[in-house]
Amino acid sequence: RKEVEQDPGPFNVPEGATVAFNCTYSNSASQSFFWYRQDCRKEPKLLMSVYSSGNEDGRFTAQLNRASQYISLLIRDSKLSDSATYLCVVFSSGGSYIPTFGRGTSLIVHP
Amino acid sequence: ETGVTQTPRHLVMGMTNKKSLKCEQHLGHNAMYWYKQSAKKPLELMFVYSLEERVENNSVPSRFSPECPNSSHLFLHLHTLQPEDSALYLCASSQDMSGTGFGYTFGSGTRLTVV
């Protein structure tokens, strides 16, 4: 089983739709969680951290479910500019904090 | 301007060439990383430096040789590469290796093609 798994998609949604991605992780000792956004042929950029209590930033909501070992990202009122690949990143303890990246979920928002 | 600058942006090299990738961060971070991103695959960690000391080397072939002369600069020296080494090479930095805070800042990457 892969350490961090994401559905590669693509998720193809119309403008204004609500879309959600999940990311599962296998290491129960995982400590920190992030969502990154990567545009085509660009570098990944931090979108938001993920906390146990959940956190919201405008149209974006991130949740962590430790019992089931997954994190989620919800995007409301999708915009064309939200089209990108969304990477799940998990930091696990064990000597040093080295992150594991998921392969990303591709989102395409169309008019 | 991301705060992490990589040069060159694009590189085409033959299998017998020697070249170097450069990364510079202006954020006062203490940890720097090299990642490889191939099509349809997750980011692969290659090397980690913390306070200029190599912390992690994920079984990377010896044809890739990192150098970290100070906490602001990181190099990746390349020699006798193979076509399958063609990929996007990303440099990243973080405040430390705690995995907390604001995670990584990535450079724009070097898109490498080995012919």
Side-chain angles (χ1 to χ4, degrees), chain B residues 9-75:
Chain B
R9 293 292 301 274
H10 301 273
L11 177 62
V12 179
M13 60 185 288
M15 289 189 283
T16 58
N17 292 157
K18 289 185 180 181
K19 297 286 184 182
S20 296
L21 310 185
K22 179 182 176 182
C23 176
E24 184 175 358
Q25 58 100 356
H26 315 280
L27 302 167
H29 287 171
N30 292 318
M32 296 185 76
Y33 311 79
W34 279 117
Y35 278 88
K36 176 183 178 181
Q37 189 174 36
S38 304
K40 309 293 185 186
K41 295 174 73 174
L43 280 161
E44 300 172 52
L45 179 64
M46 300 177 72
F47 300 101
V48 182
Y49 278 83
S50 177
L51 297 172
E52 304 155 43
E53 288 193 18
R54 189 190 301 183
V55 174
E56 192 90 7
N57 172 359
N58 273 4
S59 303
V60 178
S62 60
R63 58 186 183 269
F64 295 92
S65 174
E67 178 189 359
C68 187
N70 55 61
S71 59
S72 299
H73 293 85
L74 186 63
F75 294 90

Side-chain angles (χ1 to χ4, degrees), chain A residues 32-34 36 38 41-46 49 51 87 91 96-103, chain B residues 2 35 37 40 42-43 45 48 56 88 90 97-104 106-108 111:
Chain A
S32 304
F33 309 86
F34 300 87
Y36 278 73
Q38 186 171 24
R41 305 186 76 82
K42 296 282 186 70
E43 74 275 17
K45 293 185 178 178
L46 179 66
S49 306
Y51 305 116
L87 303 173
F91 279 77
S96 60
Y97 286 89
I98 301 296
T100 302
F101 285 78
R103 60 182 292 191
Chain B
T2 65
Y35 278 88
Q37 189 174 36
K40 309 293 185 186
L43 280 161
L45 179 64
V48 182
E56 192 90 7
L88 179 67
L90 289 160
M97 292 184 65
S98 67
T100 58
F102 296 101
Y104 284 5
F106 283 90
S108 301
R111 189 160 295 281

